[in-house]
Amino acid sequence: KKCRAQNKSILYESLSGRRSPADVSLPLRGQYFQTKSQQAGREVMVLLYIGQSRAMLSALIALMLTLTASATSKTAWASSLDGHLAEKSLPDKIDKWKHVEGDLDGACSDDTLCSSENENASELHSESSLLDFLDPTILEDEVLLDEIKSKLLEGRLVVIQDAFKPEFAEFVHSQISSDDVDWTREQHITSSDGIQRIVLKDTGEENESLSEEIRSIIAQSTWESSWQRVVGQVEKKSSTNSRIVSQLQRMLAATGSRTFMHEKICTRSCMGSDVEVEVNEHNGGDYSTYQNGFAGWRSVNMIWQLSKDWDSKWGGAFFWGQSKTMQTGYHYPTFNSLVLYIPTPYSTFYVTPVSNIAKGRLLSVDMKYTTHEDTRSLSIDDPLEEKFGGKEMLLTAKDAAFIVNMDTGGVDLTEERKGKLTELKESVENYLNPYDDWNLVIEGNAEDSDTPLSDLSDFTIDENPSMFDYINIDLDDEMLLDKIRTQIIEGKVVTIKNAFKSQFAEHMWQLFNSDDIDWIRNREEKWKSNYGIDGHRTFKNVSSKQSFPEELMRALKVFEHQSSRALFEDLSGRSCAGRIAAGVPAWYRVGDFSSPHTDFLDDRTLSFVWHAAKDHHPSFGGSFVWFPSKTPLSGYSHASFNTLYLFLPNTMTSHVVTPVNFWTTSRRFSIQGWYTLHGWYRNREMSLGQLTDFFNSDDDAQLNKLTLAEAEWIARDMDVILMTDDSELQRKLDNLKNRVWSEYLYPTDSSALLIDGQEEEVED
């Protein structure tokens, strides 16, 4: 039987204290077995993880005795397997082998015994470093380390499966999953004044009493977003200050750990001694909304997942915002996997809410390395333009803040130096607040009305209303319409504030807010959603059309009118002649949300969402987040009143509705729906004439006019030979077929580097 490289040699190294030869092969799977051996006055205890076959026992004991005979020192593992350290038969004091701190090759010499006397097996050694515990196959692979460093420098995500030695991962898991650990449940709220941490109580009734406290904090804070803090970012989780936190912090802050991270992993300095360590647990309803981790002196952020037997349907996924597609964005928590990224304005991510049906425990260790203390005091006298010019990735958030706020008009500076520093300052400002055209925001027209909005008793909606009656933008402005048209066809989102005339919008809100509507709780708990994504869920309340008052039924026809359909067909380049899917009022109540998704299903052509949330504070949640945006500042659209969103769903239109928080005082109403193609979507065969615009253009935006049903027919079912006898047209159709498959449906996504652990190979 062949085991993983780092497991093969565990028994040999534990008993002999020497590096194992390459050909040592041991069965270490199935069951636990414990034995003692008396040799030359030395007592050695070994905990074996062995196969199901008890017939192998005698062979294993013989092998242990043989190896013990050559042992030169007492050694044993420094970790527990599934909590077995607590067994009385295991000695209280056993030795622990370790690498020499700072040895980047990750090993002692064959002739040197690296052990410490009387080290408690349940503790990390005071001189331990990352080199003791990382998977040796990673430490020994210089090509892999170079690739990790290169990808991080490019702003990519790196995910390493089986990142640490399994016995160490088991040990840390046993410590943080113990019943003795005290957890503090916290609610984090971000305002421009900083991050407010509020300790939650054990019950919903007790937490309700915190609402007033939170609202008081909100009232005393300013709420203007900046690149440093986006208001409304919210996080809910449990954390602990148990002993293991300080032990891990000490190990990560060891000189050997920091030197390894600085030379082999980070592009920025990782030599700061104040390594941040936080042990977290996410319970039902916990989450982290859209953020980038770009703060303070942080140089690289890591999340070590320690959840066992976690089912992806339970949520808690790490969604990487820079991913091109929804499928490649989801990264599920797997035991002993390590997520790394360099925090920048663009390193956006989202942790999906944990389901209340989760049976496992979502445990993780957040680790953040920082720059060296000596490098933190930047001065205008430093050669900043040489150090950071064209190298913005090297900047921590604190460094960036210093540069954009520095005074370049000092009298002691030469004109040449002033010019270079001004150029650097502008470059960093553009880095922090890049031009982002993913969301075109349009302000509706200012209105003059003699009728107060509080008195709409005489206002009625036309019998056959259309967008032309109530939309609050100038539909005769061809320049504006062309901007909207270009934005939508390029696969981006259009946001229209004050979208409908104020009386119409107010009347609609009053209809939603009345007692005449029956709200139906719509909780989607699925193994896989319609998008084929494990754990995708949507919690909301939708209204039943059977309960609609006549006035509301008439108002909703504004989307169905033929002139409205014609307008949206012109703006989107897709047909809007079919039924409108959904298109009914929705109410996101406390705890409701929608996981990352694209709306790219079946024959949907144009997505629309109308927000009708009055007096909705950013901290209340329910925000619309557009993941293709470059930064959180441009990605967030907080729930608001009378705002309309329009976009063409495709593989790259990932978006989310963040959870609504318990201290909200607003009702987060909306209408969301999709126009569709006319007819039955499963039969989307296209004619040669319909395909002409697609195969005669190399413009990627042209492909955005295809619905999922049409794109799948082209990529999978279209027979170019049956389509035409013309060889040139056949060539063009073949090219189109390949482009739709590789560029539109399944585009290459290099936003993350995934490193799989080495699986065990077992021969029967």
Side-chain angles (χ1 to χ4, degrees):
K1 290 179 169 56
K2 299 177 181 177
C3 298
R4 293 184 55 187
Q6 65 266 38
N7 286 343
K8 276 186 186 180
S9 56
I10 287 176
L11 182 59
Y12 184 94
E13 292 181 354
S14 296
L15 295 177
S16 71
R18 296 181 178 178
R19 295 295 301 273
S20 64
D23 58 349
V24 171
S25 182
L26 298 170
L28 298 172
R29 57 188 291 272
Q31 294 181 346
Y32 291 101
F33 175 69
Q34 186 174 296
T35 186
K36 289 184 179 180
S37 171
Q38 297 283 346
Q39 281 279 332
R42 299 186 181 94
E43 179 178 293
V44 179
M45 175 168 287
V46 182
L47 184 66
L48 282 180
Y49 194 40
I50 66 172
Q52 298 288 345
S53 173
R54 295 176 183 263
M56 299 178 65
L57 208 52
S58 59
L60 283 168
I61 293 174
L63 175 61
M64 284 164 27
L65 293 175
T66 302
L67 292 173
T68 304
S70 64
T72 59
S73 173
K74 297 185 297 176
T75 55
W77 294 334
S79 62
S80 148
L81 293 176
D82 286 341
H84 282 260
L85 278 174
E87 295 182 4
K88 294 181 180 179
S89 55
L90 204 61
D92 292 332
K93 300 287 186 179
I94 60 177
D95 294 336
K96 167 183 170 294
W97 66 273
K98 62 179 175 49
H99 298 306
V100 175
E101 184 180 327
D103 177 7
L104 296 184
D105 291 331
C108 302
S109 68
D110 289 343
D111 298 327
T112 303
L113 180 64
C114 294
S115 65
S116 59
E117 295 295 328
N118 298 323
E119 174 68 352
N120 192 312
S122 65
E123 294 183 356
L124 293 164
H125 191 272
S126 60
E127 297 181 5
S128 297
S129 78
L130 269 175
L131 301 177
D132 298 326
F133 306 115
L134 281 175
D135 183 344
T137 60
I138 298 173
L139 296 174
E140 296 163 5
D141 192 336
E142 290 292 336
V143 174
L144 178 59
L145 290 174
D146 287 343
E147 185 177 16
I148 292 173
K149 187 170 186 177
S150 173
K151 295 303 181 185
L152 289 173
L153 178 59
E154 294 171 4
R156 313 287 177 84
L157 183 75
V158 174
V159 182
I160 305 174
Q161 303 291 342
D162 300 318
F164 291 87
K165 292 178 179 179
E167 62 271 21
F168 178 65
E170 293 282 358
F171 165 65
V172 176
H173 177 269
S174 72
Q175 298 298 298
I176 66 177
S177 61
S178 169
D179 293 337
D180 297 332
V181 174
D182 292 326
W183 295 93
T184 301
R185 198 139 190 250
E186 296 180 338
Q187 180 81 58
H188 298 181
I189 307 171
T190 302
S191 73
S192 55
D193 298 333
I195 298 176
Q196 309 290 341
R197 296 173 181 261
I198 299 161
V199 177
L200 298 174
K201 304 300 182 181
D202 294 331
T203 66
E205 291 76 12
E206 290 177 303
N207 285 329
E208 183 58 32
S209 66
L210 289 175
S211 295
E212 290 303 321
E213 177 185 340
I214 295 174
R215 292 170 194 146
S216 175
I217 293 173
I218 291 171
Q220 297 171 22
S221 303
T222 55
W223 292 89
E224 184 177 350
S225 292
S226 68
W227 67 267
Q228 292 175 297
R229 293 188 181 93
V230 176
V231 301
Q233 290 178 334
V234 178
E235 187 171 41
K236 186 162 69 171
K237 61 185 180 183
S238 298
S239 61
T240 179
N241 290 319
S242 65
R243 186 179 183 187
I244 190 65
V245 176
S246 60
Q247 292 176 332
L248 288 171
Q249 200 278 338
R250 183 180 61 197
M251 181 270 289
L252 292 167
T255 304
S257 301
R258 290 181 287 145
T259 302
F260 169 74
M261 292 297 296
H262 176 69
E263 296 184 0
K264 299 295 183 179
I265 302 298
C266 300
T267 302
R268 300 172 184 165
S269 164
C270 288
M271 296 303 293
S273 60
D274 52 344
V275 181
E276 300 176 39
V277 178
E278 191 175 54
V279 175
N280 297 318
E281 178 175 13
H282 285 74
N283 299 289
D286 290 355
Y287 58 90
S288 293
T289 55
Y290 186 54
Q291 56 187 288
N292 57 22
F294 186 51
W297 307 105
R298 295 173 184 172
S299 52
V300 66
N301 294 356
M302 304 188 294
I303 304 170
W304 185 20
Q305 300 285 3
L306 286 171
S307 303
K308 282 196 169 185
D309 303 320
W310 186 261
D311 196 318
S312 54
K313 72 176 181 180
W314 296 335
F318 180 94
F319 188 88
W320 185 238
Q322 294 188 46
S323 300
K324 280 189 177 181
T325 70
M326 174 183 59
Q327 287 81 357
T328 55
Y330 276 91
H331 297 276
Y332 300 107
T334 57
F335 182 70
N336 197 17
S337 62
L338 185 66
V339 175
L340 303 91
Y341 66 94
I342 292 180
T344 72
Y346 319 121
S347 56
T348 55
F349 65 92
Y350 178 82
V351 178
T352 64
V354 175
S355 171
N356 289 318
I357 67 171
K359 298 178 181 178
R361 298 184 67 181
L362 186 57
L363 301 168
S364 64
V365 180
D366 287 7
M367 303 169 284
K368 300 176 178 70
Y369 276 92
T370 59
T371 56
H372 196 283
E373 288 81 352
D374 291 345
T375 67
R376 296 179 184 178
S377 300
L378 295 183
S379 168
I380 203 167
D381 296 326
D382 299 332
L384 301 175
E385 63 273 32
E386 297 177 10
K387 184 177 181 180
F388 299 117
K391 305 171 187 175
E392 288 83 2
M393 276 288 291
L394 299 179
L395 291 166
T396 65
K398 288 282 191 179
D399 294 334
F402 172 83
I403 290 176
V404 297
N405 292 309
M406 67 181 176
D407 181 8
T408 58
V411 294
D412 295 333
L413 300 176
T414 66
E415 291 302 318
E416 180 182 6
R417 183 88 200 287
K418 287 180 181 179
K420 290 181 178 180
L421 289 176
T422 300
E423 184 179 342
L424 173 64
K425 186 173 181 177
E426 292 174 351
S427 175
V428 173
E429 287 174 344
N430 291 333
Y431 170 69
L432 298 174
N433 298 294
Y435 173 71
D436 193 342
D437 62 352
W438 276 103
N439 188 0
L440 173 64
V441 180
I442 298 170
E443 289 284 350
N445 298 326
E447 296 180 77
D448 294 322
S449 175
D450 296 331
T451 304
L453 294 181
S454 58
D455 181 13
L456 296 174
S457 56
D458 295 332
F459 179 82
T460 57
I461 295 175
D462 298 340
E463 283 295 329
N464 195 20
S466 78
M467 286 289 171
F468 287 84
D469 297 322
Y470 298 111
I471 196 74
N472 195 32
I473 60 173
D474 186 358
L475 295 179
D476 293 325
D477 186 342
E478 280 301 324
M479 186 175 295
L480 175 62
L481 294 182
D482 192 54
K483 286 174 63 177
I484 296 174
R485 190 179 296 115
T486 300
Q487 184 80 358
I488 291 177
I489 292 175
E490 287 182 353
K492 301 171 184 177
V493 67
V494 172
T495 301
I496 305 176
K497 295 184 177 182
N498 299 315
F500 292 101
K501 293 179 179 178
S502 56
Q503 288 185 332
F504 176 85
E506 180 70 23
H507 188 60
M508 290 282 279
W509 182 87
Q510 291 182 4
L511 292 172
F512 295 170
N513 200 44
S514 72
D515 296 330
D516 297 331
I517 295 181
D518 292 332
W519 295 98
I520 303 171
R521 195 67 168 158
N522 180 23
R523 288 180 173 266
E524 298 178 10
E525 293 269 14
K526 300 182 179 180
W527 287 81
K528 287 184 181 292
S529 72
N530 293 330
Y531 303 95
I533 297 295
D534 287 350
H536 173 273
R537 295 173 297 139
T538 296
F539 288 10
K540 61 186 176 184
N541 300 267
V542 295
S543 52
S544 169
K545 285 188 176 181
Q546 288 75 17
S547 70
F548 285 179
E550 181 181 348
E551 186 77 355
L552 180 56
M553 289 289 290
R554 188 162 61 245
L556 293 175
K557 289 181 180 179
V558 72
F559 295 98
E560 299 180 4
H561 196 280
Q562 288 304 314
S563 64
S564 302
R565 294 175 184 269
L567 171 65
F568 289 131
E569 283 185 10
D570 173 59
L571 295 176
S572 68
R574 288 182 180 176
S575 170
C576 297
R579 67 184 181 90
I580 295 180
V584 296
W587 178 7
Y588 282 78
R589 297 191 185 186
V590 171
D592 289 353
F593 65 92
S594 184
S595 298
H597 62 287
T598 60
D599 286 359
F600 193 43
L601 286 175
D602 306 332
D603 58 351
R604 295 178 179 178
T605 56
L606 179 68
S607 293
F608 64 88
V609 181
W610 182 56
H611 279 186
K614 274 194 170 185
D615 302 320
H616 197 91
H617 192 273
S619 74
F620 291 168
S623 301
F624 175 87
V625 172
W626 186 251
F627 283 114
S629 295
K630 293 180 180 179
T631 68
L633 187 60
S634 56
Y636 266 100
S637 293
H638 298 299
S640 57
F641 180 67
N642 196 14
T643 303
L644 180 67
Y645 303 90
L646 301 169
F647 61 92
L648 288 184
N650 60 53
T651 55
M652 293 182 278
T653 54
S654 296
H655 58 282
V656 71
V657 177
T658 64
V660 176
N661 294 307
F662 66 85
W663 59 89
T664 183
T665 57
S666 167
R667 292 188 171 189
R668 202 277 196 188
F669 293 134
S670 65
I671 296 177
Q672 55 197 73
W674 310 274
Y675 287 99
T676 63
L677 297 174
H678 180 68
W680 183 238
Y681 77 85
R682 296 189 186 279
N683 182 19
R684 287 304 170 203
E685 183 174 342
M686 302 177 72
S687 67
L688 189 62
Q690 290 175 305
L691 294 170
T692 302
D693 289 342
F694 295 101
F695 64 65
N696 281 334
S697 173
D698 293 329
D699 185 2
D700 292 339
Q702 194 70 20
L703 297 180
N704 289 331
K705 295 181 179 180
L706 294 170
T707 65
L708 177 60
E710 292 171 328
E712 288 184 334
W713 178 83
I714 292 173
R716 298 174 180 175
D717 301 325
M718 182 176 69
D719 190 326
V720 298
I721 296 177
L722 295 179
M723 293 292 292
T724 178
D725 294 331
D726 189 313
S727 60
E728 179 61 17
L729 287 179
Q730 288 179 354
R731 184 191 65 79
K732 290 183 177 181
L733 289 172
D734 263 329
N735 181 56
L736 175 63
K737 192 181 185 81
N738 293 330
R739 285 184 61 215
V740 170
W741 180 272
S742 62
E743 299 176 21
Y744 188 57
L745 290 177
Y746 305 103
T748 301
D749 190 348
S750 58
S751 62
L753 171 65
L754 307 180
I755 303 171
D756 292 330
Q758 297 183 13
E759 297 181 358
E760 297 181 2
E761 297 179 5
V762 180
E763 297 176 359
D764 292 332

